[in-house]
Amino acid sequence: MSEETRSPEQLSGLYKQLKQQVADSEYESAADTLPKILSFLEQLPDGWTESSEWVTAVAAVDSYLNEVQPELEKVLEETSAAITKIGKSKKGVRAYTK
């Protein structure tokens, strides 16, 4: 994506998409959308602070990300713990099946 094609509307669209995915507990989809938003925020066009549309879009996204971060971290920890547990039980099963 070049800077010319980036717009506050695109950022708002990604933000709404992420918000809906988190609300629906679609964390895999959210994991795809989040990096797009972060990339967007890292590559804001020069002078974006002069545009009220950009400032509004960025402020909304920033506020939401701060609000949802603890929930996403909790899900990540739970997922990690579940994966570790599955790994351990597979080792236990292998030991008994040899």
Side-chain angles (χ1 to χ4, degrees), residues 28-74:
E28 283 183 30
S29 302
D32 291 337
T33 306
L34 187 57
K36 293 176 189 170
I37 290 175
L38 297 177
S39 160
F40 224 103
L41 294 176
E42 289 168 2
Q43 299 172 18
L44 291 169
D46 294 338
W48 71 271
T49 54
E50 307 298 316
S51 161
S52 63
E53 289 174 349
W54 270 113
V55 171
T56 303
V58 170
V61 168
D62 185 56
S63 169
Y64 177 70
L65 290 178
N66 287 333
E67 174 188 313
V68 82
Q69 184 179 356
E71 181 182 345
L72 293 178
E73 285 174 355
K74 181 175 173 244

Side-chain angles (χ1 to χ4, degrees), residues 11 16 18 33 40 42 56 59 78 82-83 89 98:
L11 180 59
K16 286 180 182 141
L18 179 70
T33 306
F40 224 103
E42 289 168 2
T56 303
E78 288 170 2
I83 290 169
S89 67
K98 283 187 178 178

